[in-house]
Amino acid sequence: MSADRAPRRRTRRRLALLAAAAAAASLTLSACGDGVSGGSAQTRFVPGKNGVDTVKQGDRQPAPDLSGETTTGKQLDVADYKGKVVILNVWGSWCGPCIAEAPNFVKVAKETSGKGVQFVGINTRDSEKSQATSFEEEHKVPYPSLFDPTGRLMLRFPKGSLNPQSIPSTIAIDRHGKIAARSIGPLTEDDLRSMVNKLIAEK
């Protein structure tokens, strides 16, 4: 390698790292906030009155690769649940709205577990798995959560899709592995149940 190429490569690596850090920081700034949502010709999603944005079946984008280690140290790949409705909940043990909505998720997850629905959490901004597992034990969470302390999984959602923009966020994936709905901020039990039931009813 020539002497002048090495500094250029180091510069490119630094710029890539800075870009990733900036994207992660944007999620941190919106943590436990209500983010901004809306519809457009490009995104093709419709903002709901109850805070749940939806996409017509023909306009949905595939969910990204969401795989890794869970809070309990097991391997999990959301793609393995294709054929089921998947409800992704982005949460942190330190987040007040996440604590408030936890009982709603526990209840609806139990109600729908026999109806082809799989809940999966994405735990973020907790530096230690023990923080997440303590939360799960306290609230008796019956489903697994991917451990994502740096928010890297949230950055994988395609541009223009219904992506998580705050903590908490909830993403609904249809039986074909496509992003169907999103809520930014905490969900009530009724709104969560409505989100799930609409996808259960799809043919």
Side-chain angles (χ1 to χ4, degrees):
M1 183 187 303
S2 65
D4 61 332
R5 287 186 182 177
R8 284 202 297 269
R9 289 190 177 182
R10 284 196 293 270
T11 300
R12 284 197 295 269
R13 282 197 296 268
R14 281 197 297 271
L15 289 172
L17 288 170
L18 286 170
S26 69
L27 287 168
T28 303
L29 290 173
S30 62
C32 280
D34 287 332
V36 177
S37 63
S40 72
Q42 181 180 5
T43 55
R44 296 184 180 180
F45 64 84
V46 180
K49 293 179 182 179
N50 59 356
V52 177
D53 303 323
T54 58
V55 185
K56 292 180 180 179
Q57 283 182 271
D59 294 333
R60 294 173 186 171
Q61 296 190 49
D65 169 35
L66 298 169
S67 61
E69 196 168 78
T70 68
T71 55
T72 58
K74 297 178 181 178
Q75 290 297 313
L76 186 150
D77 188 341
V78 171
D80 291 341
Y81 296 124
K82 194 170 183 179
K84 290 186 174 185
V85 172
V86 178
I87 304 298
L88 296 170
N89 179 238
V90 181
W91 64 278
S93 67
W94 44 269
C95 168
C98 302
I99 295 168
E101 72 175 2
N104 304 332
F105 278 78
V106 169
K107 187 172 183 179
V108 177
K110 288 179 178 179
E111 285 178 3
T112 58
S113 62
K115 299 179 181 180
V117 179
Q118 176 65 51
F119 277 64
V120 177
I122 299 179
N123 170 259
T124 191
R125 303 290 182 262
D126 279 321
S127 57
E128 301 292 337
K129 287 180 181 176
S130 59
Q131 295 167 308
T133 54
S134 293
F135 179 100
E136 291 169 328
E137 289 167 6
E138 179 180 352
H139 296 282
K140 298 180 173 58
V141 178
Y143 50 85
S145 282
L146 289 161
F147 184 60
D148 186 29
T150 61
R152 62 182 179 81
L153 294 178
M154 289 187 284
L155 298 177
R156 292 181 180 178
F157 281 80
K159 184 177 180 181
S161 72
L162 292 179
N163 50 63
Q165 295 180 1
S166 70
I167 304 166
S169 287
T170 302
I171 306 290
I173 299 174
D174 66 20
R175 293 188 183 94
H176 305 288
K178 295 186 176 182
I179 303 166
R182 174 194 65 188
S183 172
I184 293 175
L187 272 172
T188 66
E189 182 183 323
D190 287 344
D191 287 343
L192 175 59
R193 188 179 287 110
S194 176
M195 175 191 276
V196 176
N197 287 340
K198 285 176 182 176
L199 288 176
I200 291 175
E202 284 186 354
K203 302 299 181 184

